[in-house]
Amino acid sequence: LSLESIVFGARGQSQVATSTGLSLGDLADPPEHLDVLLLPGLMHGSPQEVIERVKRLQPELAMIRAMHLRGVTIAGTCSGSFLLAESGLLDGHRATCSWWLATAFRQRYPNVLLEADAMVVEDNGVMTAGGASALQTFMLKLIARAGGDELAQQTARMLLIDPERQSQAPYVTQALMERPRNSLSEKA
């Protein structure tokens, strides 16, 4: 079994800078054959900021739609679920996002059947994962799909990941669900 990661952009750029200033260079062109397109979470200080950011990502939204039409599984983690919702691919389908963003997500995307407690949701060839550590659960699902359940279980054991963790509910703070932070400087 061989898994390969390819980093590419929707704007034809040869480099991209991360939110921490790290520059990733020598970006590939979007590949002809791709099994999964993984959309990472977007760095943001508030739910409103993530919504404003995804509205400006028109080339990325077009690429997501095109890849989905080609049959590529599309996956978004944490606030990356907002990008999927903005593309329209989640309308009428089940999805999740980081629990503390659920209120803003529901307001912006009322046609999405949000399951805010779920760690990972798959519907209509689109996968969404909750907060940052939900990515572990998501990756185990991809490993199981590519290499079988036994490989996923061995991977979970080696990396000390609890593969039975299916819900974000134990981590929810009701105060943040009802009134999400407006900036990084505010206290929850």
Coordinates of all heavy atoms in Angstrom, one line a residue, residues 1 17 23 33-34 60 76-77 88-89 94 101 105 108 124-125 142 151 154 162 171:
L1 N 0.9 -1.2 0.0 CA 0.0 0.0 0.0 C 0.9 1.2 0.0 O 1.8 1.3 0.8 CB -0.9 0.0 1.2 CG -1.8 1.2 1.4 CD1 -2.8 1.3 0.4 CD2 -2.4 1.2 2.8
A17 N 1.9 30.6 1.2 CA 2.4 30.9 2.5 C 1.3 30.4 3.5 O 0.1 30.7 3.3 CB 2.7 32.3 2.7
S23 N 6.6 29.0 4.0 CA 6.3 29.0 2.6 C 6.5 27.6 2.0 O 7.5 27.0 2.2 CB 7.3 30.0 1.9 OG 7.0 30.0 0.5
H33 N -5.3 12.4 -11.9 CA -6.0 11.4 -11.0 C -5.8 11.7 -9.6 O -4.7 11.9 -9.1 CB -5.4 10.0 -11.3 CG -6.1 8.9 -10.5 ND1 -7.3 8.5 -10.6 CD2 -5.6 8.3 -9.4 CE1 -7.6 7.6 -9.7 NE2 -6.6 7.4 -8.9
L34 N -6.9 11.8 -8.9 CA -6.8 12.1 -7.4 C -7.9 11.3 -6.7 O -9.0 11.3 -7.2 CB -7.1 13.6 -7.3 CG -6.8 14.2 -5.9 CD1 -5.3 14.2 -5.5 CD2 -7.2 15.7 -6.0
E60 N -10.9 28.5 -5.8 CA -10.9 27.2 -5.0 C -12.3 26.6 -5.0 O -12.4 25.4 -5.1 CB -10.5 27.5 -3.5 CG -9.0 27.9 -3.4 CD -8.7 29.3 -3.8 OE1 -9.6 30.1 -4.1 OE2 -7.5 29.6 -3.7
G76 N -13.3 18.0 4.0 CA -13.0 19.3 4.7 C -12.9 19.0 6.2 O -13.8 18.3 6.8
T77 N -11.9 19.6 6.8 CA -11.8 19.4 8.3 C -12.0 20.8 9.0 O -11.6 21.8 8.5 CB -10.4 18.9 8.6 OG1 -9.4 19.8 8.3 CG2 -10.1 17.6 7.9
G88 N -21.6 24.7 -2.2 CA -23.0 24.2 -2.5 C -23.0 22.7 -2.4 O -24.1 22.1 -2.5
L89 N -21.9 22.0 -2.3 CA -21.9 20.6 -2.4 C -22.6 19.9 -1.1 O -22.9 18.8 -1.2 CB -20.5 20.0 -2.5 CG -19.7 20.3 -3.8 CD1 -18.3 19.7 -3.7 CD2 -20.5 19.8 -5.0
R94 N -25.8 15.7 4.9 CA -25.3 15.8 6.2 C -23.8 16.2 6.2 O -23.0 15.9 5.3 CB -25.4 14.4 6.8 CG -26.8 13.8 6.9 CD -26.9 12.4 7.3 NE -25.9 11.8 8.2 CZ -24.9 11.0 7.8 NH1 -24.9 10.6 6.5 NH2 -24.0 10.6 8.6
L101 N -18.1 26.3 16.0 CA -18.5 27.1 14.8 C -19.9 26.7 14.4 O -20.4 27.3 13.4 CB -17.5 26.8 13.7 CG -16.1 27.3 13.9 CD1 -15.2 26.8 12.8 CD2 -16.1 28.8 14.0
F105 N -22.3 28.3 11.4 CA -22.5 27.4 10.2 C -23.9 27.3 9.9 O -24.4 27.4 8.7 CB -21.8 26.0 10.5 CG -21.7 25.1 9.3 CD1 -20.6 25.1 8.6 CD2 -22.8 24.4 8.9 CE1 -20.5 24.2 7.5 CE2 -22.8 23.6 7.8 CZ -21.6 23.5 7.1
R108 N -25.4 30.5 8.4 CA -24.9 30.8 7.0 C -25.4 29.7 6.0 O -25.7 30.0 4.8 CB -23.4 30.8 7.0 CG -22.8 31.0 5.6 CD -22.8 32.3 5.1 NE -22.2 32.4 3.8 CZ -22.5 33.3 2.9 NH1 -23.3 34.3 3.2 NH2 -21.9 33.3 1.7
N124 N -22.8 11.7 0.2 CA -22.7 12.1 -1.2 C -21.3 12.3 -1.7 O -21.0 13.3 -2.5 CB -23.6 13.4 -1.4 CG -23.8 13.7 -2.9 OD1 -24.0 12.8 -3.7 ND2 -23.8 15.0 -3.2
G125 N -20.3 11.5 -1.3 CA -19.0 11.7 -1.8 C -18.2 12.8 -1.2 O -17.1 13.2 -1.6
L142 N -9.8 7.0 6.1 CA -9.1 6.9 4.8 C -8.2 5.7 4.7 O -8.1 5.1 3.7 CB -8.4 8.2 4.5 CG -9.3 9.4 4.2 CD1 -8.4 10.6 3.9 CD2 -10.2 9.2 3.0
L151 N -5.2 -2.5 9.0 CA -4.2 -1.5 8.9 C -4.6 -0.2 9.6 O -3.8 0.4 10.3 CB -3.9 -1.1 7.4 CG -2.8 -0.1 7.2 CD1 -1.5 -0.5 7.8 CD2 -2.7 0.3 5.7
Q154 N -4.1 -1.0 13.3 CA -2.7 -1.0 13.7 C -2.1 0.4 13.8 O -1.4 0.8 14.6 CB -1.9 -1.8 12.7 CG -2.1 -3.3 12.8 CD -1.4 -4.1 11.7 OE1 -0.8 -3.5 10.8 NE2 -1.5 -5.4 11.7
D162 N -7.6 6.9 19.7 CA -8.8 6.1 20.0 C -9.8 6.1 18.8 O -10.5 7.1 18.5 CB -9.5 6.8 21.2 CG -10.8 6.1 21.7 OD1 -11.1 5.0 21.1 OD2 -11.4 6.6 22.6
Y171 N -16.6 17.4 24.5 CA -15.7 18.6 24.5 C -16.4 19.9 24.3 O -15.8 21.0 24.4 CB -14.7 18.4 23.3 CG -14.1 17.1 23.3 CD1 -14.6 16.1 22.4 CD2 -13.1 16.8 24.2 CE1 -14.0 14.8 22.4 CE2 -12.5 15.5 24.2 CZ -13.0 14.5 23.3 OH -12.5 13.3 23.3

